[in-house]
Amino acid sequence: MHPAVFLSLPDLRCSLLLLVTWVFTPVTTEITSLDTENIDEILNNADVALVNFYADWCRFSQMLHPIFEEASDVIKEEFPNENQVVFARVDCDQHSDIAQRYRISKYPTLKLFRNGMMMKREYRGQRSVKALADYIRQQKSNPIQEIRDLAEITTLDRSKRNIIGYFEQKDSDNYRVFERVANILHDDCAFLSAFGDVSKPERYSGDNIIYKPPGHSAPDMVYLGAMTNFDVTYNWIQDKCVPLVREITFENGEELTEEGLPFLILFHMKEDTESLEIFQNEVARQLISEKGTINFLHADCDKFRHPLLHIQKTPADCPVIAIDSFRHMYVFGDFKDVLIPGKLKQFVFDLHSGKLHREFHHGPDPTDIAPGEQAQDVASSPPESSFQKLAPSEYRYTLLRDRDEL
């Protein structure tokens, strides 16, 4: 039998202190550093990944590092499985190829990925542990509302774009594709689903997806593609959820300016839906081929009085169409002229060709002067860009490049 061992009082206190420290000290997680060797594997296997694109010399990046690490620790306690949530970072000086791949134009930039797919909207909220943790919790929440009774359809908020999936069962490939799409587009549409006996009256030809556009008079649209094909399903739903003509607000202004495309904007009174519908129809008819070269937007005249004043207009003048090139603003003629075939298209072409800008500096193009008419060396004077002020601020980011002048 071994003799008992007694610790002295100082030794006992030291042992207890070590034990308490071991029990109550939280386990800190290492932020995953991404490089060209591991980035695809890590992001593809992560349900949700928040990636910090930074530079060591950037003071805003330096300020974010401890906050980002602490937020990671908080989230890892709630989602401990390795691939549920990943907090990662990219040193853009060391890996400029990755920065170029994701078009990083400022530090720090926080981008969200789902199973390797980069989300269009990056994180632009408050840089605090709580805000970052809440953001990830929101991303991990279920974006699909389950319908228990088809009567609930009659009480939908018809000011929103609603996507409804009717499935025989939740544990199916069809629903998994629908769920994956909903996780990506839940900021743009409201997603709902019904299963089993509840959905049966709507499944007369099998599982299906319905789009209910805003307004009570607009007819439903039915998805006719393969339910298990993610790309086809995603493209169809994205086309319905993200309209060709988007509304610009003070909340999404920074995001829209950072897309780097000039704005073609309709300023209209909120209740003037007729002018908006005309503008939407003419954009679709005349400018669908220009979708990747300019952003089609509409703005509330009351909320955006300042840009209107910039072009010497007031809400009383609405509806008004203008282009903001991020250098200057150019005003379209009379709104009614939008119905003249090709008129709106020519306005946009004149921007891209540089004609609007040339006329700003040198007056009307010689090609616009009738034969025999004397040229007048009188330059127009469009005001400076107003929406450029909504772009990312130098008081929050280190900006890397300026836009070209148009």
Side-chain angles (χ1 to χ4, degrees), residues 56-277:
D56 276 332
W57 49 264
C58 165
R59 65 188 180 97
F60 299 111
S61 295
Q62 295 165 8
M63 293 163 62
L64 179 61
H65 282 322
I67 296 170
F68 194 72
E69 290 170 359
E70 188 175 345
S72 175
D73 293 340
V74 170
I75 288 299
K76 280 298 181 184
E77 290 184 3
E78 299 178 27
F79 302 96
N81 291 348
E82 183 179 3
N83 292 328
Q84 280 184 296
V85 178
V86 170
F87 276 68
R89 61 188 174 195
V90 175
D91 183 335
C92 293
D93 279 344
Q94 297 294 322
H95 303 288
S96 58
D97 54 334
I98 297 178
Q100 291 174 5
R101 173 179 172 183
Y102 294 109
R103 298 183 179 180
I104 303 303
S105 61
K106 64 188 186 308
Y107 301 139
T109 293
L110 296 176
K111 288 190 175 289
L112 185 76
F113 294 78
R114 289 183 178 276
N115 302 113
M117 184 176 184
M118 185 181 74
M119 299 297 96
K120 187 173 183 180
R121 289 186 176 90
E122 65 187 55
Y123 178 78
R124 299 177 187 271
Q126 184 180 359
R127 291 174 188 161
S128 69
V129 173
K130 182 180 185 304
L132 286 170
D134 285 346
Y135 173 71
I136 294 299
R137 292 186 190 106
Q138 181 187 24
Q139 297 302 318
K140 289 295 292 179
S141 63
N142 188 353
I144 305 172
Q145 176 188 337
E146 185 171 345
I147 298 170
R148 306 290 181 179
D149 189 322
L150 290 184
E152 296 174 27
I153 302 295
T154 61
T155 63
L156 289 179
D157 182 352
R158 294 308 298 269
S159 67
K160 296 181 178 179
R161 300 168 183 272
N162 292 282
I163 302 288
I164 308 174
Y166 298 101
F167 304 94
E168 183 177 359
Q169 55 186 8
K170 182 177 288 190
D171 184 18
S172 65
D173 291 338
N174 288 352
Y175 181 71
R176 278 186 280 273
V177 168
F178 183 76
E179 187 177 36
R180 186 178 167 193
V181 173
N183 276 318
I184 297 170
L185 295 174
H186 63 86
D187 288 333
D188 301 294
C189 270
F191 284 83
L192 305 95
S193 62
F195 305 96
D197 291 338
V198 175
S199 66
K200 191 172 183 180
E202 297 290 339
R203 289 189 290 103
Y204 41 84
S205 59
D207 291 355
N208 64 60
I209 299 171
I210 302 292
Y211 167 60
K212 287 184 175 294
H216 291 276
S217 59
D220 295 349
M221 301 180 70
V222 182
Y223 174 60
L224 300 176
M227 298 282 287
T228 55
N229 188 315
F230 169 78
D231 291 333
V232 174
T233 305
Y234 173 78
N235 288 334
W236 186 85
I237 295 179
Q238 183 190 43
D239 183 61
K240 306 299 177 286
C241 291
V242 183
L244 183 61
V245 179
R246 296 177 285 176
E247 181 177 12
I248 184 169
T249 65
F250 290 112
E251 288 73 28
N252 68 4
E254 180 179 285
E255 171 190 331
L256 289 172
T257 58
E258 202 172 9
E259 289 181 12
L261 300 177
F263 291 173
L264 176 67
I265 311 174
L266 167 70
F267 295 93
H268 67 106
M269 301 304 291
K270 186 175 182 180
E271 63 275 9
D272 180 14
T273 56
E274 181 181 355
S275 296
L276 176 58
E277 186 175 351

